[in-house]
Amino acid sequence: MKKVFASFSIVALSLVFVACGGTKEQTAGKDNSWQKVEDAKKLTVATSGTLFPSSYYNDENKLTGYDIEVITEVAKRLDVEVEFKEYNVDGQITSVDKGEADLAANDFGLSGDRGKKFILSSPIKYSFDSMIVRKSDDSGIASLEDLKGKKAAGEPNTNYMKIAEKYGAKLVTYDNATNDQYLTDVANGRTDVILNDYYLQKMSVGALPDIPVKILEDVYFNANFTGFLMKKDSTALSKKIDESLNAMQEDGTMKKISETYFQTDVSVEPKEKIEESVSVE
């Protein structure tokens, strides 16, 4: 079985749908976010290296993944090098906030609080949320309301854990744990459920078929999109990123990269209509 270094150290979604590119507000003061990258000839990107299939290490011990390949192609089109720095979710956000990284690439969305300080690029992935449970008994869960008293696994301070807490789950936190650890703990009863992005869960369960867990059918919620996370005043950099992403969408590059990692085109809105929306505000 292919060894997959991955985790559900996914980030808060439940997105605030903000406009991209030129519609973002320009904050007071000079915006040198693009000038800084252009002068250095380098785009510094925060990521996890543990989030399959968005940012992870392959069998050749090379950092790869959907977000990694997309931002690498963006940097190529902007004629700059890309340098990756690895952190857990909180570390990625902090590195962008402090200017240690120009952006974060790790399946990021925007929560309400995060939306006050950060912006997203144009969407690179559309999705919705789901839950992983044990195969044998569905972990006793048939709806979000059944999370009460169950043990929910995830990284601290994510919207997924906030949703689990909202419905009365007991939180079991991990720090950049591997995917097999998450899934094994659900299977053996150390935890009961993982709330996360549907496509990430689908690929992770598929990569580890011997672990007896599954995605809970018919319990889907929070239609969302993800992109690259930047400081709110990085409008010049955001504009450059969006221009490249739009060109990649038009010439089919986004579709090609998406199908490599998800076997479907997640760069366009899905046909599924997810009506249920869960807020943690």
Side-chain angles (χ1 to χ4, degrees), residues 49-191:
T50 59
L51 183 62
F52 178 79
S54 294
S55 170
Y56 67 101
Y57 280 85
N58 62 18
D59 291 340
E60 288 74 42
N61 201 33
K62 177 184 176 183
L63 182 64
T64 189
Y66 180 61
D67 286 47
I68 299 302
E69 191 165 335
V70 171
I71 196 60
T72 298
E73 176 64 21
V74 167
K76 179 181 177 181
R77 294 181 183 220
L78 294 176
D79 195 28
V80 296
E81 296 181 359
V82 61
E83 177 185 2
F84 293 102
K85 294 184 176 181
E86 294 171 30
Y87 310 86
N88 63 13
V89 171
D90 284 344
Q92 292 172 61
I93 295 169
T94 299
S95 70
V96 173
D97 190 32
K98 291 183 175 181
E100 296 168 356
D102 300 304
L103 60 83
N106 203 66
D107 201 59
F108 271 98
L110 284 181
S111 66
D113 288 341
R114 192 170 298 162
K116 298 174 184 177
K117 297 180 68 175
F118 300 96
I119 54 177
L120 281 182
S121 67
S122 294
I124 68 168
K125 174 173 158 285
Y126 292 88
S127 188
F128 45 90
D129 297 341
S130 58
M131 296 189 281
I132 284 179
V133 295
R134 281 185 295 280
K135 272 187 178 180
S136 59
D137 60 358
D138 291 355
S139 299
I141 298 171
S143 69
L144 287 165
E145 285 71 21
D146 294 328
L147 289 174
K148 186 174 182 179
K150 301 299 183 183
K151 293 170 287 187
E155 274 206 31
N157 304 318
T158 66
N159 262 26
Y160 293 115
M161 294 295 265
K162 291 176 182 177
I163 291 171
E165 185 175 33
K166 176 179 180 177
Y167 283 93
K170 301 174 182 178
L171 306 187
V172 181
T173 59
Y174 297 71
D175 183 12
N176 248 22
T178 56
N179 209 31
D180 57 346
Q181 181 179 350
Y182 271 102
L183 299 187
T184 298
D185 283 354
V186 172
N188 65 25
R190 181 174 183 267
T191 59

Side-chain angles (χ1 to χ4, degrees), residues 22-41:
T23 61
K24 303 184 183 82
E25 292 183 356
Q26 175 70 52
T27 58
K30 180 176 174 59
D31 175 14
N32 65 349
S33 56
W34 166 243
Q35 192 67 50
K36 173 187 170 186
V37 172
E38 188 176 36
D39 289 347
K41 285 290 183 181

Side-chain angles (χ1 to χ4, degrees), residues 208-222:
L208 297 163
D210 293 335
I211 301 177
V213 296
K214 68 177 186 179
I215 295 177
L216 189 63
E217 298 295 335
D218 301 322
V219 185
Y220 303 126
F221 52 100
N222 285 350

